[in-house]
Amino acid sequence: MISLIFLFSVAAQAREYTDIEGHFASRAIRLWSEREILEGYQNQFRPNDPVTRGELAVILNRLLRMERSHTTIGYSDVKESFYKEAILTLVEQGILLGSDGRLRPEEAVSRQEAALILARIFPLEEGEGEASFADEREIAAWAKEAMLAMAKNGFMKGYDDRIHPKKTLTRGELAVLLDNMITGYIDQSGEYEEKDVASSKGFLFLRAGEIALKNLQSSRVILISADNKMKGLYLKNVKAEQLRFFPRQATLYTLLENSSFQSIKGQTEAIELFADKASRIGDKVIQAASLAEGKKKLAEAKIFLATFSQMGLSDEYAPNRPKTPNISQTEEIIPIP
C-alpha cells in the first residue's frame, strides 16, 4: 500500500508544477514526469534552468537503466552526490567522456554537447530535412555531424534562423528533445501492434517486463532498455531498420518470428535470441536457436504476457494500453502462442 501511495504522489506532483503553464515545453515536461524520467523540485520544474552534466547523466540513466560494473574510474571532480553512479555508468559505456581527469559534473551542458551525447545513445541517420543556420560555423567540429543530424531529423529545433550550439541546454529544451526523439514508448507489459505506438521517424523505446510486439512495419529503430526487470520480448511480423539492445546483466529472452532488421546491435551473452527461418538481418537468415526452443524457454522461466496496471497516471499521459484483457489473480495466465 505504501508503494502505491508513493507512485500516486509522484504522478500527482508531475501534474501540479506551478511554473510550466504556457511554457513551450509544458506537455513534454508533464509526459516525461509522469513516466518518472524527469523530476521537479517542490512543485516546480524550473524549465528555464540549465541542465548540468550530472543531471543529464541521471535523467538518461533513468531511461536506459544501465548498471555499472563497479570498476574503478578515477575522476578528481566526481564526489559523493546524487549523480555519481549515473555519471560513472555512462562514462563506462562511452556515452559521457571526461578530459584531463575531470568530468565536470556540475557544469552546464551546451546544446552541441547534448546533441553529441544523445547521438551516442540514439543511432542517427543524416536525415532528409533542411539544416541551414546562420550560426552553423559556430558549431564545434566535434559536434557538427551530430548536431546537424539532430536538426535534419527534426529532433533539435533552431529559432531566429540559428541553432545556438554554444547556448546552455535548458530543462524544458531537454524535455522536448526526449519527446521529439522517443515517439513510441512502452513501459507496461502486454501485447502491442503498430496502432498502439506513434508513427513517425522517432525511436521506439521498450522497457517493460514482458512485451509482445506484432505487425509493425516501420523504418524506425527499436531500442531495448537495459532494465533487468525486462525478461521476455516477442517480435512477430516486425520490420525495422535496427534492433538495439543496451548493455544489461540479467537474461532477456528475445523471440523473433517473421521479423527483419537491417542490423541487430548490442547482442551479448545476456541476450538469448531465438528466431524462425523467416526472420532476417538484411537478406540473411538470423543465426539463432529455434523459435520453438525459445517458447519452451519462456515457459520454463514462467514468463508470460499479462497486463499490469500503473497507479496514478492520468488518462492523458498514461502509456498505451495493451490489447490483452486484464487477468485476475484467479485466472490462468496464457503463455505466448
Side-chain angles (χ1 to χ4, degrees), residues 44-55:
Q44 289 192 328
F45 187 77
R46 303 177 188 175
N48 298 320
D49 279 9
V51 178
T52 67
R53 288 167 60 85
E55 288 172 335

Side-chain angles (χ1 to χ4, degrees), residues 185-321:
Y185 184 82
I186 295 176
D187 64 348
Q188 138 171 297
S189 295
E191 181 178 316
Y192 299 82
E193 294 194 14
E194 187 163 32
K195 64 182 179 60
D196 297 316
V197 294
S199 177
S200 83
K201 294 182 180 179
F203 298 91
L204 173 56
F205 198 90
L206 310 182
R207 56 174 289 179
E210 303 157 16
I211 296 174
L213 183 61
K214 302 180 179 181
N215 306 319
L216 175 67
Q217 303 297 309
S218 171
S219 62
R220 83 175 74 190
V221 176
I222 300 175
L223 306 176
I224 314 300
S225 168
D227 194 339
N228 287 328
K229 294 179 182 178
M230 190 172 187
K231 303 295 184 183
L233 175 64
Y234 178 42
L235 304 181
K236 180 177 181 180
N237 301 328
V238 171
K239 182 178 181 180
E241 180 184 320
Q242 185 182 117
L243 184 64
R244 181 175 183 182
F245 299 92
F246 289 104
R248 58 187 297 113
Q249 296 177 5
T251 299
L252 174 61
Y253 298 107
T254 303
L255 280 61
L256 307 178
E257 182 174 353
N258 192 34
S259 295
S260 61
F261 310 92
Q262 290 302 308
S263 63
I264 298 180
K265 301 290 186 181
Q267 187 180 343
T268 63
E269 292 181 357
I271 309 298
E272 290 206 25
L273 197 63
F274 305 89
D276 63 357
K277 298 298 183 183
S279 294
R280 299 280 193 273
I281 298 179
D283 59 354
K284 297 180 179 179
V285 174
I286 295 176
Q287 299 301 309
S290 72
L291 191 63
E293 185 178 340
K295 291 181 178 181
K296 183 179 178 182
K297 281 265 192 179
L298 285 186
E300 291 172 350
K302 297 182 179 179
I303 297 173
F304 308 106
L305 285 180
T307 299
F308 300 98
S309 61
Q310 295 192 359
M311 293 295 294
L313 295 179
S314 64
D315 290 340
E316 183 179 0
Y317 297 107
N320 293 316
R321 298 304 183 197

